Structure formats: C-alpha cells, structure tokens
Amino acid sequence: HWHCGNTEQSLALARHFMRDRPVTPNFHSMYVSARLHSPTETVEAAGQAARQWGKSYSDPQPQPILRQRPRRPLRIGYVTQEFHRGPAIHFILPLLEARSRDRFHVTGFHCGPQRDPWTRRAARQFDQWRTPSNAAELEAAVRQDKLDLLVDLSGHYGSHLTLFEKRHAPVQLSFPNYPGSTGAEQMDYILTDRWVCPPGTEPQYTEQPLLSLIHI
C-alpha cells in the first residue's frame, strides 16, 4: 500500500499489526515516518508518535555525559545509510567540504549497501570511512572511536536511532533530512529551520531545536 501511494491504508494496517504483536524498532520507525506523509496528521499527533518511539527504546542506563571540550581536534561521527544520490548528501557535503581539518576529525559510518559516485565523493571528505554491515558492527565501531559528537543523518527514514538511545557520545545531534522530531530521549539537538520547526512548535520536539545555524 505504501509504495502505491495509499498512505492512510498503510497506516491503518500498521496500527492493526502493532496492536496484535511486538514489532521491531525499524518497523516502528517506518510507522512514525509514514505519519508525516498523512494529510490528516496534526503536528501534535506526529510529535506524540515520535515520543512514544523514544520511550519504547530508550536505554534506562545510558552512558554518562561528559561536556568538557577536549584539547585536540573534535571527533565527530556521521551515521546514515544515505551516503549516495539523494536529499541527505546535499545537506552534508557542503559542510564537510568547507570544514577546518585542523579543528575537526570526522568519521563517516555508511551503513547501507547502496554505492554510487556520490558515495565516493563523500568518502573522500572524511578522515575515516567505515562501512559496518550490521547494527552490532556499527555500535562496536562507534564505541571504539570515542567520539565527542555523534550525528544522525536519517531520523526515522533510517534504522539507526536505537544506537543513539544508548548514548555513545557526550553530544548527539540530528541533522536535517528527517523533517520532524526523532523522539529519541538521548538526542540532544536537532538542526532545523523555521519551515520544519515554526515558532511555537518547539514543545513537540524531544531535542532542542537549533534554528539559528541555518538561514533559509
């Protein structure tokens, strides 16, 4: 139904399925993201759906948060399966290409099977490029890299938000691609703009919206 454009039927089937049996975090994410495409959805209901996802998968004992700035280049990791032709690559490439290589050490975690010329272009912009084949490999790599900032590029369009609920970095941030709150209780900030987060909608976000960094 979803691929045929039948959004409301897809949502109805998903709700029926979720009532009858446990679902995976990824299926739950697909449901949350699909609600954003419904013309009958309200901002409040979409926000509540995201928060429910976060409450369902948040780690009750996340790692401690350390806020002291290290005396070395800041270590940043970007997680997505979308380092290929698509919307996400156009958000992240200009930032990577213009960054100070003396101040920032960046790692790309490309978690999907798709590869194209955009993937190769993105890989060249990172100090370290990792291609974990599953969630366990991704978590082990992130833990090994001891990052200062961990950035999600996909929101509920991806399948990696449970990683962020385990708090593997002192600061965690959602980058613009997914147009709404992730609901993840351990996500600190979300980069957004006045179109996705109009004034007054901030309470619908579990993250702190950062609007001043983007001028559109």
Side-chain angles (χ1 to χ4, degrees):
H1 289 289
W2 174 252
H3 291 292
C4 293
N6 298 325
T7 306
E8 299 306 316
Q9 289 178 293
S10 297
L11 289 171
L13 285 172
R15 283 191 287 267
H16 177 76
F17 190 85
M18 293 169 69
R19 279 196 302 267
D20 293 342
R21 70 207 76 187
V23 297
T24 65
N26 291 351
F27 183 94
H28 199 164
S29 276
M30 290 176 62
Y31 170 71
V32 172
S33 65
R35 291 184 65 158
L36 294 182
H37 298 270
S38 169
T40 64
E41 191 76 346
T42 65
V43 172
E44 293 76 15
Q48 180 58 38
R51 285 192 295 274
Q52 184 58 51
W53 184 96
K55 290 177 181 177
S56 298
Y57 308 107
S58 181
D59 191 328
Q61 295 181 318
Q63 295 187 13
I65 303 172
L66 303 175
R67 298 291 185 183
Q68 185 175 358
R69 174 67 185 264
R71 295 182 178 180
R72 54 166 171 72
L74 201 66
R75 300 182 65 86
I76 306 174
Y78 295 89
V79 179
T80 188
Q81 72 280 4
E82 298 180 81
F83 285 126
H84 55 73
R85 183 181 179 184
I89 201 73
H90 297 288
F91 285 117
I92 191 61
L93 267 182
L95 177 66
L96 293 172
E97 292 171 345
R99 71 182 169 91
S100 167
R101 294 181 179 267
D102 296 329
R103 298 176 58 194
F104 304 103
H105 179 282
V106 294
T107 300
F109 298 90
H110 183 43
C111 308
Q114 191 167 342
R115 305 285 192 276
D116 63 17
W118 288 94
T119 311
R120 294 189 290 274
R121 180 177 168 182
R124 290 194 295 268
Q125 301 305 318
F126 287 97
D127 299 298
Q128 185 171 227
W129 179 251
R130 293 184 176 273
T131 55
S133 59
N134 55 54
E137 285 187 13
L138 171 61
E139 184 172 352
V142 168
R143 193 166 51 240
Q144 176 185 335
D145 288 347
K146 301 185 185 304
L147 301 164
D148 304 304
L149 172 62
L150 187 61
V151 183
D152 163 63
L153 297 180
S154 298
H156 288 288
Y157 291 150
S159 58
H160 316 294
L161 282 178
T162 52
L163 173 76
F164 287 78
E165 290 292 64
K166 297 180 181 180
R167 177 64 72 176
H168 287 295
V171 180
Q172 301 191 139
L173 179 146
S174 182
F175 204 74
N177 182 31
Y178 181 74
S181 175
T182 64
E185 296 187 350
Q186 296 300 322
M187 193 73 76
D188 301 302
Y189 304 100
I190 184 168
L191 287 180
T192 185
D193 57 40
R194 66 181 185 272
W195 303 108
V196 174
C197 183
T201 62
E202 295 88 351
Q204 305 305 325
Y205 286 78
T206 54
E207 312 88 348
Q208 179 180 337
L210 298 179
L211 286 82
S212 61
L213 300 182
I214 301 177
H215 302 282
I216 299 178

